Amino acid sequence: MNENLFASFIAPTILGLPAAVLIILFPPLLTPTSKYLINNRLITTQQWLIKLTSKQMMAMHNTKGRTWSLMLVSLIIFIATTNLLGLLPHSFTPTTQLSMNLAMAIPLWAGAVIMGFRSKIKNALAHFLPQGTPTPLIPMLVIIETISLLIQPMALAVRLTANITAGHLLMHLIGSATLAMSTINLPSTLTIFTILILLTILEIAVALIQAYVFTLLVSLYLHDNT
């Protein structure tokens, strides 16, 4: 009970060398590929989910926006598998690190914004000043819209970090309480353990939902700039 709650969020090391890179490269190994004409059930289900997700996200995009389909599908698969692997005991979740989430959010956001300024600069600049704005409010609205644009990648990263971190901390606290109560009161232990199982199921759903939300917001930013 006295251990550091945030110890599981410290980047692991192997012989003094950071192991985060190896952990980040591990999830792609869990997405199997097939060289055969007829796939097994796992690969068929995987391909069906990928097609369903890409179809839903790319339906609102034009031809230029659909060129990002491979990147967005790869992004949602990577975040989802990373979040799910982080639920395993004694594992490390890279998406609890704000620096990593910013490293994903900033380039994708910047690419979408730069594409918007290159392809349709008038529409991109029009977002800074809504039509019919009173003249005295123009400078203030331009500043507010500029800040809201620049804060988008930070909001993406903080949302993902906060949701995954909060779930892990809550699971850690309830797990510690279950272990402490196991020698005191058995009925209370069973009740807390049931809550822990339900929370674990909820965290699995949150891991998948947050991957979808992150990718969907990037897709919306792309749609606004293409």
Side-chain angles (χ1 to χ4, degrees):
M1 294 292 291
N2 295 326
E3 62 179 293
N4 186 5
L5 289 177
F6 297 93
S8 59
F9 303 115
I10 300 175
T13 57
I14 299 177
L15 299 177
L17 300 176
V21 176
L22 296 178
I23 297 174
I24 293 173
L25 294 177
F26 181 69
L29 300 178
L30 301 180
T31 53
T33 58
S34 177
K35 300 179 181 179
Y36 302 100
L37 181 61
I38 301 177
N39 298 325
N40 57 30
R41 294 179 181 179
L42 176 62
I43 296 180
T44 301
T45 305
Q46 172 187 308
Q47 292 177 347
W48 175 77
L49 288 174
I50 290 175
K51 289 180 181 179
L52 181 65
T53 305
S54 59
K55 182 179 180 180
Q56 185 174 359
M57 287 192 301
M58 294 292 110
M60 59 182 174
H61 290 282
N62 54 19
T63 305
K64 183 177 293 186
R66 290 176 182 176
T67 58
W68 284 47
S69 59
L70 181 60
M71 183 184 300
L72 294 179
V73 170
S74 302
L75 178 66
I76 191 173
I77 292 175
F78 172 74
I79 297 177
T81 52
T82 303
N83 291 345
L84 291 175
L85 287 175
L87 295 175
L88 297 176
H90 304 288
S91 61
F92 172 71
T93 312
T95 47
T96 57
Q97 306 296 312
L98 182 61
S99 57
M100 175 181 167
N101 295 335
L102 283 173
M104 292 190 296
I106 292 177
L108 293 171
W109 167 83
V113 171
I114 292 173
M115 180 181 292
F117 277 99
R118 289 185 61 184
S119 60
K120 47 178 186 179
I121 186 170
K122 291 183 179 180
N123 293 335
L125 293 177
H127 290 301
F128 292 95
L129 188 62
Q131 188 175 5
T133 303
T135 304
L137 297 179
I138 289 178
M140 183 181 299
L141 279 179
V142 170
I143 295 174
I144 293 175
E145 292 297 328
T146 303
I147 294 174
S148 66
L149 177 65
L150 297 177
I151 209 173
Q152 286 177 353
M154 178 64 72
L156 271 178
V158 170
R159 181 185 294 107
L160 179 59
T161 304
N163 281 279
I164 301 302
T165 303
H168 281 56
L169 286 175
L170 191 57
M171 290 179 63
H172 180 83
L173 289 173
I174 296 179
S176 300
T178 304
L179 185 61
M181 292 293 294
S182 61
T183 57
I184 302 175
N185 192 336
L186 185 59
S188 299
T189 303
L190 294 177
T191 303
I192 299 175
F193 184 70
T194 303
I195 297 174
L196 180 61
I197 293 176
L198 296 176
L199 180 62
T200 304
I201 296 174
L202 177 63
E203 282 304 308
I204 293 174
V206 169
L208 298 175
I209 291 172
Q210 288 303 315
Y212 178 76
V213 169
F214 188 96
T215 311
L216 181 62
L217 289 176
V218 173
S219 178
L220 291 176
Y221 297 154
L222 178 63
H223 177 261
D224 292 337
N225 290 280
T226 54

